[in-house]
Amino acid sequence: MSLDRVPFGSWLDRRLHLSGLLEFAGHKTVPHHRFSVVYYLGGMTLFFFVVQVTTGILLMLYYRPSAEGAFESVQFIMTTVPFGWLIRSIHSWSANLMVFFAFVHLVTVFFTKAYRPPRELTWITGCLLFFLIMAFGFSGYLLPWNKLAFFATKVGTDIAGVVPVVGEWMLRFLRGGERVTGGTLSRFYGWHVAILPALATLLLGVHLLLVQMQGMSSPPSEEAKPDRRSMKFFPHFAMRDLFGWILALGVLASLAALFPWELGEKADPFAPAYQNIRPEWYFMFMFQTLKLVPGGQILGVEYESIPIVLFGLGGVVLLLVPFLDRGIAVRGKSPVVTAIGVLAVLYILGMTAWAYGNLIPIWVGLATVVLLALFSLFTYRPQGRGKP
Ligand code: HEM
């Protein structure tokens, strides 16, 4: 792509040497095969991240992070600020869709074995981004200072307090004291709008740079084929990405307008514990697991701390997947790793369904697989049936 055709293009190029950058970006190609649909999922997550940053900055203009003012400022945003209700609703819906797409991106990267060398660092930065997204969700949940969020944060931070050795320190670090107070709220706000965005932007920069430098991988089953095809990222794949983002914007705007995010009642730290305390849906599988653990101790360690430590170890194992897979794979195949992945996804879906007492999480999982298969069918033409 030449900059001469863009207004001020050659002027800017002489000062910033952009053509070198465009040339670097222009080399990228995307493999074209029956699983190519998975390459849209990272871009989709990126789209929701951009929506979060944009709407979050707008919300910051009116939000007040204090126990006295937080709930009222959100009420003001929803009732008085022009389109405030829409911006808040988009921020909340987009947060949920971002977690969903990041999870589906992670799962598809896992099953297509895209973490294999040389993409170990792409995988690790991706895992860290996923943990940060969960932290965004946890810290943002408290900010409206409503009853449900207050008690869910109390229970969530109580859980951190059960961890052996460092639990008490973690509890005080998270809450900024012994109890959940206005101090906790301003601390969560600091994490939510400054520390987490800074870390996420840094990691995202590295993640995307690695993807650009290493190019896209192909699943092992496609790698072996002699007639592999690919398409240029600029402009062909980027236009398809753009089409997906416009579609996502339509879905997001419809959800936000038709189902505005509720605010609930203001938190009262002195009120008796709220019934039906529940965290966000993406923490539900852990919450349900903990609910099944009986009270009691073994060798001075609370039973409850065992699954908490196991979930922590699960996070470490997830980070190490590329290295564990390399140790297990025989001639490029690692069915054991795939089977463990299937069991983990089934566990997460099953526990979430159990926690809600309905099959919706299972249906959402199945619908996602069917939709991805349908997209594959419509966006891929086998060789000989027209060009990509
Ligand atoms: C904020 C969250 C994230 C964003 C915005 C993001 C963005 C992207 C983008 C745009 C791509 C290139 C297109 C694609 O393959 O879909 C990509 C590729 C990749 N991502 Fe992510 N990602 C995120 C989280 C994750 C997570 C949670 C993982 C896994 C733990 C991960 C692992 C990877 C890997 C290994 C690739 C290379 C795929 C290949 O070469 O086939 N990413 N990511």
Side-chain angles (χ1 to χ4, degrees):
M1 182 178 163
S2 161
L3 280 168
D4 296 340
R5 279 185 273 154
V6 184
F8 299 111
S10 51
W11 187 88
L12 275 175
D13 193 25
R14 262 176 272 128
R15 278 143 193 92
L16 302 173
H17 305 291
L18 295 175
S19 45
L21 210 71
L22 281 180
E23 181 137 340
F24 173 59
H27 283 310
K28 188 175 169 186
T29 56
V30 179
H32 189 64
H33 49 72
R34 61 205 157 119
F35 302 115
S36 289
V37 66
V38 299
Y39 302 131
Y40 296 99
L41 296 166
M44 203 52 108
T45 315
L46 184 60
F47 168 77
F48 288 113
F49 181 77
V50 173
V51 171
Q52 284 313 94
V53 174
T54 317
T55 50
I57 291 173
L58 291 176
L59 290 172
M60 265 174 79
L61 301 179
Y62 289 96
Y63 178 78
R64 275 178 285 144
S66 71
E68 298 74 34
F71 184 83
E72 287 75 7
S73 68
V74 179
Q75 237 171 7
F76 183 74
I77 289 171
M78 292 183 67
T79 55
T80 313
V81 177
F83 295 106
W85 66 273
L86 187 61
I87 297 297
R88 173 170 183 254
S89 198
I90 289 181
H91 193 73
S92 308
W93 274 108
S94 166
N96 285 282
L97 289 170
M98 180 173 164
V99 176
F100 176 76
F101 275 99
F103 181 69
V104 181
H105 177 46
L106 187 154
V107 170
T108 53
V109 161
F110 178 88
F111 286 119
T112 52
K113 316 234 181 232
Y115 50 73
R116 285 188 171 167
R119 294 182 181 76
E120 297 95 325
L121 289 177
T122 321
W123 170 264
I124 291 174
T125 49
C127 283
L128 296 177
L129 275 167
F130 191 72
F131 300 150
L132 283 185
I133 292 173
M134 306 270 272
F136 265 117
F138 188 66
S139 55
Y141 201 43
L142 181 67
L143 299 186
W145 199 246
N146 57 24
K147 265 188 182 174
L148 181 59
F150 176 84
F151 286 110
T153 305
K154 196 170 166 313
V155 173
T157 45
D158 268 340
I159 290 172
V162 180
V163 176
V165 190
V166 288
E168 215 157 292
W169 176 85
M170 268 171 56
L171 183 131
R172 266 205 300 277
F173 175 74
L174 286 171
R175 290 183 177 174
E178 295 294 330
R179 291 177 300 122
V180 177
T181 61
T184 318
L185 180 63
S186 44
R187 181 165 284 229
F188 272 38
Y189 183 64
W191 279 98
H192 195 76
V193 306
I195 303 171
L196 294 176
L199 291 176
T201 308
L202 193 80
L203 275 171
L204 193 55
V206 178
H207 192 71
L208 297 182
L209 187 70
L210 286 169
V211 172
Q212 183 64 35
M213 283 165 58
Q214 294 165 343
M216 309 302 300
S217 70
S218 290
S221 60
E222 297 300 316
E223 196 102 288
K225 292 190 178 161
D227 56 340
R228 282 156 59 199
R229 289 186 288 161
S230 61
M231 71 167 87
K232 268 188 160 304
F233 183 79
F234 280 117
H236 304 300
F237 193 81
M239 287 309 243
R240 290 171 169 226
D241 255 344
L242 189 67
F243 177 73
W245 295 346
I246 293 169
L247 216 71
L249 187 65
V251 171
L252 179 61
S254 310
L255 285 171
L258 297 176
F259 308 101
W261 211 258
E262 295 198 354
L263 177 57
E265 287 174 59
K266 183 172 174 170
D268 175 5
F270 301 106
Y274 188 65
Q275 294 300 307
N276 298 327
I277 298 173
R278 55 183 164 77
E280 295 275 57
W281 55 268
Y282 39 89
F283 292 117
M284 272 302 210
F285 74 98
M286 294 193 261
F287 189 65
Q288 182 64 19
T289 309
L290 290 177
K291 272 211 296 201
L292 299 177
V293 178
Q297 290 190 338
I298 179 165
L299 304 172
V301 175
E302 303 263 355
Y303 285 147
E304 215 184 9
S305 65
I306 298 169
I308 297 172
V309 171
L310 287 180
F311 281 128
L313 284 178
V316 176
V317 170
L318 191 70
L319 276 168
L320 297 178
V321 159
F323 310 101
L324 301 174
D325 176 272
R326 205 164 49 182
I328 295 175
V330 179
R331 267 177 265 116
K333 291 198 172 148
S334 51
V336 177
V337 176
T338 308
I340 294 173
V342 171
L343 287 178
V345 172
L346 289 179
Y347 182 81
I348 292 171
L349 290 180
M351 276 296 177
T352 311
W354 191 357
Y356 284 109
N358 60 48
L359 288 179
I360 292 175
I362 309 278
W363 288 123
V364 172
L366 284 175
T368 308
V369 175
V370 171
L371 270 178
L372 286 179
L374 284 177
F375 269 112
S376 272
L377 220 69
F378 289 116
T379 54
Y380 171 66
R381 274 188 230 110
Q383 193 89 325
R385 283 209 244 149
K387 285 183 182 162

